[in-house]
Every structure is written in structure tokens, then in C-alpha cells.
């Protein structure tokens, strides 16, 4: 997170210097920049700053429940933000454009519209009334996924005390195939009912493999969707079968 913050800060300073010398060809280009491009970059900076704050204050020596309470507290802050800005949140999520000229053009000074964006007043050449708000929405989306994943992982650890903490393992095993291959394997094992007669959740099985092989699977459900639409959905399983048959032949 610290490294990311330094790199993104440098990138934003370069972008800021460029924009000060650049003339947008029309309002549509300016709106696109402040509604899409800048918030995407700034959101990465805010996200890593938030991540650093959350992790540096996390009570890692406390019980699982204490850690979950801490993470739930941060989730509640996201809900509070949503409730306080639900009108703009709805406007942005629905892809609305009828107020874009007021929200994403520099120099539109309306206290009612800009009261949540101090950056608009501190740096009017590089800010609009709501570009920071868009960045915050993008940050909250990522933070929500992170916090829920961490809470889920802690819940699994709590119910499976023999599970090693993620990233710390006593076994010298590292998954060296692609992550999509691991997802294919996990789903195959789950579908076969080979573990607990099939009475386990994909997320639980995924967490076990993450712990065992010191690997992160960011979004197992989306990855499985990609597998379903491949021309060869069982590519890795087929390669395992081929490898096993070759080993059997070699041993004869």
C-alpha cells in the first residue's frame, strides 16, 4: 500500500501539470476526464491510503470476533457515506448525464452542489464539484469487497482452527500454475462431492486452497464464469489426466 501511494501520487502530479497546460476541445471531453479518467486514478490513491489505515490499526493479536467487529465498523462507515450521498450515488450508478455540466465542469461554483468537495475550492484548476465524489464511490466499492472477503476469511478460520493464516504456512508449498487452473480444480472437487460429500461452500474450499498454497483468488465466481465460456472448459483437468497417464506409462 505504501509503495502504491508513492507511485500514484507521482502520477497524479504529472497529470495535474499536464491538465494545467491542456485545453479541452469541448465540454464533452472535459466531462469525460473529470467523470471517468481522473476519478479512476485518484480512487486508487484513496483506496491504498484507506487500506494502509485499516491494516495498520487492525487488532491482529485480538480474537477473530474482535477483528471482525473492527472490519464491520469500517463497513458501517461505507453505509453511512452511501446514505448521506444517495442522490448523487443513484445519479452516478444509473449512468445519468443531465447534470454532468454542473458536476464535472470546472468553475461551476454552486455551494449546494460542491459542499462535499473541498478539493474544488483548494485546487479549482484540477477539480470539479463531484469528481472526488466519483472517486470515493469507486473506493467504497473496492473497500466493501476487501472488507467482506476479510470477514469471510476470519469466519472460516474461526470455524476451522487448524487452518493456517493466509500468507503464513508451515508447508513449503506454492501454487505455480495459473489461478484460473486452480479455480477449475476447486470447482471440479466441489462438483464431485469428494470433500465432506459435497457439503461445503465454494468460498470455504477456495479459502482452504488459498491458505494451503499461499495464493490469492480475487474473485472465484467471476473466474468460473470465464471458464464456462472457454472453448475447452476442462483444460487443466484434462492436462492432469494426460500427466497422470504419462506417469503410469513411465512407471511400467
Amino acid at each position: 500500500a505504501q509503495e502504491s501511494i508513492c507511485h500514484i501520487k507521482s502520477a497524479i502530479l504529472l497529470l495535474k501539470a499536464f491538465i494545467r497546460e491542456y485545453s479541452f476541445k469541448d465540454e464533452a471531453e472535459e466531462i469525460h476526464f473529470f467523470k471517468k479518467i481522473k476519478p479512476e486514478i485518484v480512487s486508487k490513491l484513496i483506496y491504498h491510503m484507506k487500506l494502509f489505515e485499516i491494516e495498520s490499526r487492525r487488532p491482529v493479536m485480538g480474537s477473530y470476533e474482535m477483528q471482525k467487529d473492527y472490519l464491520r465498523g469500517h463497513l458501517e462507515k461505507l453505509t453511512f457515506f452511501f446514505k448521506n450521498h444517495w442522490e448523487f450515488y443513484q445519479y452516478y450508478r444509473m449512468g445519468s448525464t443531465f447534470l454532468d455540466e454542473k458536476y464535472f465542469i470546472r468553475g461551476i461554483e454552486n455551494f449546494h452542489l460542491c459542499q462535499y468537495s473541498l478539493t474544488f475550492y483548494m485546487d479549482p484548476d484540477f477539480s470539479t464539484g463531484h469528481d472526488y465524489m466519483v472517486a470515493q464511490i469507486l473506493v467504497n466499492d473496492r473497500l466493501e469487497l476487501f472488507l467482506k472477503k476479510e470477514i469471510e476469511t476470519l469466519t472460516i478460520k474461526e470455524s476451522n482452527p487448524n487452518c493456517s493464516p493466509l500468507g503464513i504456512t508451515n508447508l513449503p508449498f506454492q501454487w505455480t500454475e495459473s489461478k484460473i487452473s486452480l479455480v477449475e480444480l476447486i470447482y471440479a472437487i466441489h462438483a464431485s462431492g469428494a470433500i465432506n460429500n459435497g457439503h461445503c461452500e465454494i468460498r470455504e474450499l477456495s479459502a482452504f486452497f488459498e491458505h494451503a498454497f499461499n495464493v490469492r483468488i480475487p474473485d472465484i465466481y467471476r473466474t468460473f464464469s470465464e471458464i464456462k465460456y472457454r472453448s475447452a472448459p476442462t483444460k487443466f483437468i484434462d492436462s492432469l489426466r494426460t500427466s497422470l497417464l504419462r506417469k503410469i506409462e513411465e512407471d511400467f
Side-chain angles (χ1 to χ4, degrees), residues 80-231:
F80 182 76
F81 176 88
F82 166 74
K83 288 179 179 178
N84 275 285
H85 307 295
W86 72 269
E87 288 183 0
F88 179 75
Y89 189 91
Q90 187 179 42
Y91 174 87
Y92 177 75
R93 284 296 183 218
M94 291 179 66
S96 301
T97 59
F98 63 92
L99 289 175
D100 279 2
E101 291 181 4
K102 293 182 178 180
Y103 288 152
F104 304 109
I105 294 289
R106 292 169 297 177
I108 308 298
E109 188 166 348
N110 182 311
F111 183 75
H112 176 68
L113 293 177
C114 307
Q115 59 180 310
Y116 302 112
S117 182
L118 288 176
T119 57
F120 176 78
Y121 295 103
M122 294 172 65
D123 196 354
D125 292 333
F126 192 57
S127 300
T128 67
H130 280 67
D131 65 83
Y132 187 85
M133 186 78 73
V134 173
Q136 191 65 60
I137 289 172
L138 297 176
V139 170
N140 289 356
D141 287 346
R142 290 187 67 186
L143 278 179
E144 182 179 11
L145 287 174
F146 169 77
L147 292 167
K148 286 183 176 178
K149 175 98 170 13
E150 290 300 301
I151 291 170
E152 192 172 20
T153 300
L154 288 168
T155 301
I156 292 168
K157 287 180 184 178
E158 197 171 23
S159 58
N160 298 276
N162 294 324
C163 230
S164 301
L166 187 59
I168 303 173
T169 174
N170 296 323
L171 302 176
F173 298 135
Q174 186 82 34
W175 182 261
T176 53
E177 250 288 354
S178 67
K179 290 183 180 180
I180 197 167
S181 295
L182 181 57
V183 172
E184 185 183 330
L185 178 63
I186 290 170
Y187 267 90
I189 292 172
H190 183 267
S192 71
I195 294 179
N196 292 347
N197 293 315
H199 299 301
C200 65
E201 297 294 329
I202 280 290
R203 189 66 257 174
E204 293 176 328
L205 202 54
S206 170
F208 171 79
F209 275 89
E210 285 181 320
H211 296 323
F213 297 121
N214 194 23
V215 62
R216 278 276 195 181
I217 306 173
D219 192 338
I220 190 169
Y221 304 110
R222 185 189 303 170
T223 304
F224 182 60
S225 294
E226 293 173 9
I227 290 172
K228 288 192 293 185
Y229 294 106
R230 290 189 310 191
S231 56

Side-chain angles (χ1 to χ4, degrees), residues 1-133:
Q2 283 180 307
E3 276 193 50
S4 297
I5 289 167
C6 291
H7 287 302
I8 299 166
K9 274 184 176 179
S10 298
I12 290 174
L13 287 174
L14 289 172
L15 182 62
K16 185 176 179 179
F18 171 78
I19 290 299
R20 280 182 170 166
E21 299 298 323
Y22 180 76
S23 295
F24 291 105
K25 63 183 180 182
D26 53 29
E27 285 191 348
E29 187 181 43
E30 184 170 357
I31 289 169
H32 178 72
F33 176 79
F34 286 106
K35 187 176 183 179
K36 301 289 184 182
I37 297 174
K38 183 192 169 189
E40 186 67 43
I41 300 168
V42 172
S43 72
K44 288 175 168 51
L45 174 64
I46 303 170
Y47 173 76
H48 284 98
M49 290 174 71
K50 291 283 187 183
L51 197 63
F52 181 80
E53 177 192 346
I54 291 169
E55 288 298 292
S56 61
R57 296 179 179 179
R58 184 168 169 174
V60 291
M61 300 305 292
S63 65
Y64 288 135
E65 195 56 40
M66 186 185 296
Q67 290 188 56
K68 286 194 288 184
D69 284 343
Y70 171 77
L71 296 172
R72 288 188 194 109
H74 282 282
L75 272 177
E76 287 176 9
K77 291 179 183 178
L78 302 186
T79 303
F80 182 76
F81 176 88
F82 166 74
K83 288 179 179 178
N84 275 285
H85 307 295
W86 72 269
E87 288 183 0
F88 179 75
Y89 189 91
Q90 187 179 42
Y91 174 87
Y92 177 75
R93 284 296 183 218
M94 291 179 66
S96 301
T97 59
F98 63 92
L99 289 175
D100 279 2
E101 291 181 4
K102 293 182 178 180
Y103 288 152
F104 304 109
I105 294 289
R106 292 169 297 177
I108 308 298
E109 188 166 348
N110 182 311
F111 183 75
H112 176 68
L113 293 177
C114 307
Q115 59 180 310
Y116 302 112
S117 182
L118 288 176
T119 57
F120 176 78
Y121 295 103
M122 294 172 65
D123 196 354
D125 292 333
F126 192 57
S127 300
T128 67
H130 280 67
D131 65 83
Y132 187 85
M133 186 78 73

